[in-house]
Amino acid sequence: MKRLVTWNNDTDCCTQLDGVACDHSNGRVVSLTRPGSDFINGTVVGSWMEGPISPSLGNLNGSIPSELGQLSHLTTLLLNGNQLKGPIPASFQNLHQLNKLYLTGLSGRIPNSLFEHMPALSELVLSRNEISGGIPSSIGKLVSLKKLDLRLSSLTELISLTDCRLSSNKLTGSIPSLIGNIPLQQLILQDNMLTGELPVSIGNLTDLICLLLQNNRFTGKIPSSFGNLVNLDEADLSRNLLSGPIPCQLANLKSLSTLDLSYNPLSLVNIPTWFSKLKLRELNLAGTGLVGELPEWLPTLHVHLLFMDLSSNMLTGALPTWIGNLSNLYSLNLSNNGLHSDIPIEFKGLSNLVELDLHSNNFTGGLLSIFAKSTSGSYVSPGQYGAIDVSYNMFAGPIDGIHFGDLDAMSSIRSLVLSNNNIRGPVPKSLGKLGGLYYLDLGKNELTGTVPDELGSITMLQSLVLSDNKLTGTIPSGVINLKLLRVLDVAHNRLTGRIPPHSAPLPASSFEGNPGLCGSPLSPCNTD
C-alpha cells in the first residue's frame, strides 16, 4: 500500500497529508502516524514503507534522522516493525518529554547519556535489535519506567549492574530467566504485580546479598538452587502464592540473617529442623500453615534471634517454659493461634523483649509474669516494653495489685492493649505513672470501681478505651481534657453525672450505654 501517496511539497501538511495532525492555534505538527496496517471493510490489510526516510521529514521541527532529536515536545515515538538500520541517534537525549520509545532493527551501542533527562518515559522497547555493549547507567534515571523490553537483542555487557531496584511500581509478568546472568548484589522487586515461578537461575547470583520479592503474585515452589546464594543476608518472599516444602538446601545459607516467608500457602505443618543450622536474626513464618506445638529445638536459635513472628497459624498447646531461654529476643508475635496455658514464670527471662503480641489465643491466668519480666538488658536493648497486646484471650484476675508505674519493664511502654479478657477489679491508679503511654485499651473486661483521676497524668495519651466494663462514678475532668486525647470510649458501663466540658471532638457513641450520664454530646442534664 502507498502510505505516503498524499505527501508532496505542494500540499498543506496540516490539512492534506494523511496521518498528520496539527495544533491549529500555532500550526505546529503534534502527531505523525503511518501504521503498518489498515482496517478496511472488516479486514486487516497489511502495508509498509520502504526505502530511506527523507531528511525533509525533519523540517516538521528540525531535520532527520539525527535532527529528530530536536522535536523537544515529542511524547511518543514508535519506529518498531520497520527495517531501520544504524545506531540510535545521540540527539534522542533531547527528547525530554518522551513517554514511549519503541525502536527495533538498530545496531551499535546505546549512547551513554541517552536516558539522562527522560523523567516521563514509561515504556522502552529495544527488542529485536543488534545493539551491542551494555545498558548505560543513565537508565537508572527513568523514574517513571513501567515497561522494559530488551528481548532478542545482542547486549553483551550487563556486568556493571549490581543493584536492581524496581519496587513499588505496577510491574507485571514474570522475572526473566536471564536475570541469573547478571552479577547482582541486590534484587529488589517488592510491591509489584509480578507472576509466574521464581527462576531457578536466581541461584546463579552467588554475590547476592539482598533478595526482596515480597507482595507480588509468585507461584510454585522455592527453587532448591537458592541454596547456592551463600552470601545472602536478607530474603523476603512474603505475601506471595508460593507452595511448600521449603528446600533443605537453604541450610547452606550461613550468612542468612533475615528470612521472611510469611503469608504464603506453604502448608509447612512444622518448622523444618534444619532451620537450627541457620544464624537467623529475624524469622517470620506468619500464615504459613504451622500446626501443633512449638518445636523444642527452637531455643537453639537464641544466640542470634531478635525477631520472631509465627502468628496466624494453627499452633496449639502450652507456651513452653523454654521460652525464657530466648533471652536476646526483641520482638515476639504469636498472635492468632490456638495456644492455651498460663504464662510460665520463665517468661521473665526475656530480658530484651520490647514488642509482644499474643492477641487472639486462649491464654489463661494472670499477667504478672509478662509485666514483671527482667530488664537486665544487653547490647541489644535496655529491656523496657514499647508495646504489649494480649487482647482476645482468657486472662483473668485483678490487675490492681500490679504496680505498673513501679515496674522497670513498663516504664517506657507506649501501647498497652488488654481488651477482651476476663480481667476483674479496679483500674490501677499506678497507670498514671506511665507518662509515655499513648494508647491504652482495657475494653470488654470485668473492671469495676471508678475511672481513676491519675489517668489524667498520662500527658501523651491519645486513645483511651474503657468500654464494656462495670465502671461507676463520674468521668474525671483531667482525663477527658488531656491535650493529646483524640479517642475516649467509656460506652456501656455504669457511669453517672455530667460529662465534663471538653474540646476533643468525641461522638455520642463514646458515652452510650451509661444511663446515668448526661451533657454534651449526650442529652442535656436536667439542671441545664
Side-chain angles (χ1 to χ4, degrees), residues 192-310:
N192 282 292
M193 295 181 287
L194 296 170
T195 56
E197 297 188 358
L198 299 177
V200 174
S201 63
I202 289 181
N204 298 333
L205 306 178
T206 54
D207 292 328
L208 198 66
I209 298 174
C210 181
L211 177 63
L212 304 183
L213 304 179
Q214 69 266 32
N215 199 24
N216 279 284
R217 300 170 186 175
F218 294 118
T219 55
K221 300 181 184 299
I222 300 172
S224 60
S225 63
F226 279 26
N228 299 327
L229 305 177
V230 293
N231 289 301
L232 193 64
D233 174 73
E234 182 179 4
D236 192 340
L237 308 180
S238 63
R239 299 184 185 278
N240 280 287
L241 300 171
L242 300 173
S243 56
I246 304 173
C248 62
Q249 287 82 0
L250 267 60
N252 299 327
L253 306 184
K254 305 303 182 183
S255 298
L256 191 65
S257 67
T258 299
L259 178 62
D260 193 342
L261 302 177
S262 299
Y263 301 105
N264 281 287
L266 295 171
S267 302
L268 291 186
V269 180
N270 298 306
I271 304 176
T273 56
W274 54 260
F275 270 45
S276 62
K277 300 179 181 180
L278 301 174
K279 299 178 181 179
L280 291 174
R281 182 179 65 91
E282 182 171 348
L283 174 61
N284 297 324
L285 296 176
T288 54
L290 294 175
V291 177
E293 299 183 354
L294 292 169
E296 294 183 358
W297 58 262
L298 205 55
T300 61
L301 300 176
H302 79 280
V303 175
H304 305 282
L305 195 61
L306 304 181
F307 301 83
M308 184 168 70
D309 185 352
L310 304 180

Side-chain angles (χ1 to χ4, degrees), residues 399 402-405 410 413 416 418 427-435 437 440 442 452 454-455 457-458 466:
I399 56 173
I402 300 177
H403 300 287
F404 290 98
M410 300 296 292
I413 190 77
L416 179 60
L418 309 181
V427 177
K429 295 181 180 180
S430 61
L431 285 169
K433 296 182 179 181
L434 305 180
L437 195 63
L440 176 60
L442 303 176
E454 287 78 2
L455 297 184
S457 300
I458 311 177
L466 299 172

Side-chain angles (χ1 to χ4, degrees), residues 371-388:
F371 299 136
K373 77 173 181 69
S374 170
T375 56
S376 60
S378 71
Y379 65 93
V380 178
S381 72
Q384 282 87 11
Y385 281 118
I388 295 176

Side-chain angles (χ1 to χ4, degrees), residues 209-510:
I209 298 174
C210 181
L211 177 63
L212 304 183
L213 304 179
Q214 69 266 32
N215 199 24
N216 279 284
R217 300 170 186 175
F218 294 118
T219 55
K221 300 181 184 299
I222 300 172
S224 60
S225 63
F226 279 26
N228 299 327
L229 305 177
V230 293
N231 289 301
L232 193 64
D233 174 73
E234 182 179 4
D236 192 340
L237 308 180
S238 63
R239 299 184 185 278
N240 280 287
L241 300 171
L242 300 173
S243 56
I246 304 173
C248 62
Q249 287 82 0
L250 267 60
N252 299 327
L253 306 184
K254 305 303 182 183
S255 298
L256 191 65
S257 67
T258 299
L259 178 62
D260 193 342
L261 302 177
S262 299
Y263 301 105
N264 281 287
L266 295 171
S267 302
L268 291 186
V269 180
N270 298 306
I271 304 176
T273 56
W274 54 260
F275 270 45
S276 62
K277 300 179 181 180
L278 301 174
K279 299 178 181 179
L280 291 174
R281 182 179 65 91
E282 182 171 348
L283 174 61
N284 297 324
L285 296 176
T288 54
L290 294 175
V291 177
E293 299 183 354
L294 292 169
E296 294 183 358
W297 58 262
L298 205 55
T300 61
L301 300 176
H302 79 280
V303 175
H304 305 282
L305 195 61
L306 304 181
F307 301 83
M308 184 168 70
D309 185 352
L310 304 180
S311 62
S312 301
N313 283 294
M314 294 174 282
L315 296 173
T316 57
L319 191 64
T321 57
W322 54 251
I323 194 72
N325 294 334
L326 299 175
S327 55
N328 286 330
L329 208 59
Y330 179 94
S331 177
L332 175 62
N333 189 345
L334 298 175
S335 63
N336 282 303
N337 278 290
L339 297 168
H340 56 85
S341 68
D342 291 2
I343 303 297
I345 193 68
E346 290 81 2
F347 194 90
K348 293 183 178 181
L350 299 178
S351 56
N352 286 292
L353 196 62
V354 173
E355 300 172 355
L356 174 64
D357 193 346
L358 300 178
H359 84 264
S360 303
N361 278 283
N362 298 308
F363 288 116
T364 56
L367 293 163
L368 188 58
S369 294
I370 293 176
F371 299 136
K373 77 173 181 69
S374 170
T375 56
S376 60
S378 71
Y379 65 93
V380 178
S381 72
Q384 282 87 11
Y385 281 118
I388 295 176
D389 188 347
V390 294
S391 60
Y392 292 92
N393 279 286
M394 294 186 289
F395 290 113
I399 56 173
D400 59 320
I402 300 177
H403 300 287
F404 290 98
D406 300 322
L407 296 174
D408 189 36
M410 300 296 292
S411 60
S412 299
I413 190 77
R414 300 183 306 277
S415 177
L416 179 60
V417 183
L418 309 181
S419 59
N420 291 273
N421 281 286
N422 297 316
I423 299 172
R424 302 187 304 275
V427 177
K429 295 181 180 180
S430 61
L431 285 169
K433 296 182 179 181
L434 305 180
L437 195 63
Y438 68 81
Y439 188 91
L440 176 60
D441 188 350
L442 303 176
K444 294 187 178 180
N445 279 291
E446 299 292 327
L447 296 173
T448 56
T450 62
V451 179
D453 292 334
E454 287 78 2
L455 297 184
S457 300
I458 311 177
T459 56
M460 300 300 293
L461 199 61
Q462 301 177 28
S463 180
L464 174 61
V465 180
L466 299 172
S467 58
D468 295 279
N469 280 287
K470 298 177 181 178
L471 300 174
T472 57
T474 60
I475 300 173
S477 176
V479 174
I480 199 172
N481 282 293
L482 283 166
K483 290 184 179 180
L484 300 180
L485 194 68
R486 296 294 178 267
V487 175
L488 173 65
D489 191 350
V490 294
H492 302 289
N493 279 285
R494 300 171 183 175
L495 300 173
T496 57
R498 183 192 303 272
I499 299 173
H502 54 279
S503 58
L506 303 174
S509 59
S510 295

